[in-house]
């Protein structure tokens, strides 16, 4: 079942450039149902309809957006959409435009703003803003007595020059991979990376390594035996496939529109840079390479430079649907 915002959990209001018009704006407090599953927001405007889907409107989540003009000929007009102050990459899909909106795990409390600029949609004002209230999010914190023990070479700064040089080379390769830009390469919903799913560490868990504070966990860990097949969660292009210092055997896939998935600690990589892969295609095997304490797959996702919970992408249900 899904949660439908018949009136929204969201606060919607106009933001005008003219102060007199701004004073006329009214805020609408909108309700939502509490059934299990994703949130679906549907809004019918005069000239377009808006669909927003998310597992939840919280930190580290992804929102799927679909804008559908009421007149089909308007699909070729010029539109601009921004999310949290950053421009959004729109893709035309049949008679709609779709986009993926990331919510950083470090987003401050309060309202998140989606702005649509269009002289066709908003003839007089030219723009409209929607404000979404961020849901409270508490990421897990591992207690000090439950700290993780790893090889000291992964937490010390006292390393040989050749190791430091290799770490820098790995950093440069990752930055280059995540800087790639391509058009959206998929039309289906995302899928899990393993046949059997058992999560051992959630997204953005804060934990210590060898009595030293580590960074928040930038992905989700799945239990698996060494050699277990790892599958691409979506169609895309391999932009990195190599051994790295911390991530071990590491693969990054570009899915287009600055959407990336990445796979760490693999025992074996079975794809090459530049290779086009299909969703469900085997790209490697589970392992324990790099900064790892046992066989598992670390799956991560990044959208427009923002780390998000990959499970929030996999949870989306509306990508495959037509209008």
């Amino acid at each position: 079942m899904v949660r439908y915002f018949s009136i929204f959990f969201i606060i919607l209001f106009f933001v005008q450039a003219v102060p007199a018009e701004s004073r006329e704006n009214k805020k609408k407090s909108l309700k939502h149902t509490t059934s299990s599953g994703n949130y679906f927001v549907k809004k019918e405007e005069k000239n377009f309809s808006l669909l927003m889907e998310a597992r939840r409107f919280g930190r580290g989540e992804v929102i799927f957006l679909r804008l559908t003009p009421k007149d089909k000929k308007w699909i070729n007009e010029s539109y601009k959409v921004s999310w949290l102050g950053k421009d959004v990459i729109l893709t035309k899909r049949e008679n709609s435009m779709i986009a993926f909106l990331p919510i950083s795990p470090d987003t401050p409390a309060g309202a998140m703003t989606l702005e649509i600029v269009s002289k066709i949609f908003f003839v007089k004002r030219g723009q409209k803003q929607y404000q979404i209230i961020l849901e409270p999010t508490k990421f897990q914190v591992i207690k000090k007595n439950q700290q993780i023990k790893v090889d000291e070479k992964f937490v010390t700064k006292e390393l040989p020059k050749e190791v430091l040089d290799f770490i820098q080379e790995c950093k440069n390769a990752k930055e280059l991979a995540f800087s790639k830009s391509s058009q959206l390469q998929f039309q289906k919903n995302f899928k899990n990376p393993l046949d059997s799913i058992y999560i051992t560490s959630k997204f953005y868990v804060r934990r210590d390594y060898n009595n030293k504070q580590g960074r928040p966990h930038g992905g989700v860990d799945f239990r698996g035996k060494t050699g277990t097949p790892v599958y691409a969660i979506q169609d895309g292009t391999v932009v990195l496939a190599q051994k790295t210092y911390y991530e071990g055997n590491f693969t990054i896939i570009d899915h287009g529109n600055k959407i990336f998935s990445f796979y760490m600690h693999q025992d074996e990589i079975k794809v090459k840079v530049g290779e086009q892969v299909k969703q469900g295609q085997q790209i490697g095997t589970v392992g324990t390479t790099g900064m790892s304490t046992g066989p598992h797959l670390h799956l991560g996702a990044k959208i427009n430079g923002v780390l998000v919970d990959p499970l929030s992408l996999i949870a989306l249900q509306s990508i495959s649907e037509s209008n």
Side-chain angles (χ1 to χ4, degrees):
M1 297 178 66
V2 295
R3 304 178 200 172
Y4 283 94
F5 288 82
S6 53
I7 310 178
F8 302 141
F9 171 69
I10 296 176
I11 298 174
L12 306 172
F13 64 96
F14 289 103
V15 176
Q16 313 301 340
V18 182
E21 292 180 339
S22 297
R23 290 194 293 269
E24 295 176 359
N25 296 334
K26 294 182 179 180
K27 296 182 179 180
K28 298 180 180 180
S29 181
L30 307 169
K31 298 185 297 183
H32 69 281
T33 59
T34 56
S35 58
S36 62
N38 291 356
Y39 289 103
F40 284 81
V41 174
K42 293 184 177 181
K43 175 67 175 176
E44 292 293 332
E45 299 283 9
K46 179 180 179 181
N47 293 325
F48 70 97
S49 62
L50 178 151
L51 167 73
M52 300 177 74
E53 179 198 359
R55 185 175 62 168
R56 57 190 297 272
F57 291 104
R59 293 180 176 90
E61 300 290 308
V62 179
I63 300 174
F64 174 70
L65 171 71
R66 179 185 289 133
L67 295 174
T68 306
K70 293 294 178 67
D71 191 326
K72 293 181 180 180
K73 68 182 180 182
W74 292 345
I75 191 64
N76 294 317
E77 294 293 333
S78 176
Y79 305 97
K80 180 181 178 182
V81 175
S82 64
W83 171 246
L84 297 176
K86 296 179 68 174
D87 288 347
V88 171
I89 302 174
L90 293 171
T91 294
K92 294 178 183 177
R93 176 74 58 80
E94 297 182 357
N95 297 316
S96 299
M97 291 165 289
I98 65 171
F100 294 81
L101 315 178
I103 306 174
S104 169
D106 299 316
T107 300
M112 304 176 293
T113 302
L114 172 73
E115 181 180 67
I116 303 173
V117 178
S118 168
K119 288 295 185 180
I120 294 294
F121 288 165
F122 317 111
V123 178
K124 294 182 179 180
R125 303 176 180 88
Q127 68 176 16
K128 184 173 182 178
Q129 288 188 345
Y130 298 85
Q131 287 202 332
I132 303 173
I133 303 303
L134 182 69
E135 293 183 22
T137 304
K138 289 185 178 181
F139 295 112
Q140 182 182 6
V141 177
I142 302 297
K143 297 179 181 179
K144 288 187 177 181
N145 61 356
Q146 296 175 323
Q147 65 175 303
I148 297 175
K149 296 290 185 180
V150 296
D151 192 312
E152 189 65 21
K153 69 180 182 180
F154 293 116
V155 294
T156 182
K157 296 182 180 179
E158 302 298 325
L159 294 169
K161 183 179 182 303
E162 59 269 20
V163 175
L164 294 174
D165 289 344
F166 178 60
I167 292 174
Q168 185 61 48
E169 290 174 8
C170 295
K171 180 182 178 181
N172 294 341
K174 289 181 286 185
E175 291 178 350
L176 179 62
F178 285 125
S179 70
K180 300 294 184 180
S181 181
S182 67
Q183 295 182 342
L184 199 65
Q185 300 183 44
F186 60 91
Q187 297 186 359
K188 299 178 292 185
N189 297 335
F190 286 76
K191 289 187 177 181
N192 284 313
L194 301 175
D195 288 325
S196 179
I197 299 300
Y198 186 92
I199 296 171
T200 57
S201 185
K202 297 180 180 179
F203 177 73
Y204 232 57
V205 170
R206 297 177 184 271
R207 54 197 183 186
D208 294 340
Y209 300 89
N210 299 10
N211 292 317
K212 297 178 182 179
Q213 186 176 23
R215 296 179 180 178
H217 192 222
V220 174
D221 286 349
F222 298 87
R223 178 184 295 173
K225 294 181 180 180
T226 298
T228 300
V230 174
Y231 306 111
I233 64 172
Q234 189 56 274
D235 297 351
T237 304
V238 178
V239 290
L240 185 142
Q242 69 177 62
K243 179 180 178 180
T244 56
Y245 188 75
Y246 294 105
E247 299 85 358
N249 289 329
F250 190 33
T251 302
I252 301 177
I253 300 177
D254 171 20
H255 305 293
N257 286 14
K258 304 298 290 185
I259 301 171
F260 299 89
S261 63
F262 50 93
Y263 313 75
M264 294 164 47
H265 310 304
Q266 298 171 95
D267 185 62
E268 183 180 2
I269 298 174
K270 292 185 175 291
V271 290
K272 297 180 180 180
V273 171
E275 184 175 343
Q276 300 284 327
V277 297
K278 293 293 184 181
Q279 181 189 79
Q281 176 181 334
Q282 184 178 357
I283 60 171
T285 60
V286 171
T288 183
T289 56
M291 187 175 171
S292 171
T293 58
H296 73 284
L297 171 69
H298 174 111
L299 174 69
K302 184 177 284 191
I303 299 180
N304 205 16
V306 177
L307 273 176
V308 295
D309 188 337
L311 297 181
S312 69
L313 267 176
I314 294 171
L316 295 174
Q317 304 170 14
S318 301
I319 303 171
S320 300
E321 297 175 2
S322 65
N323 296 330

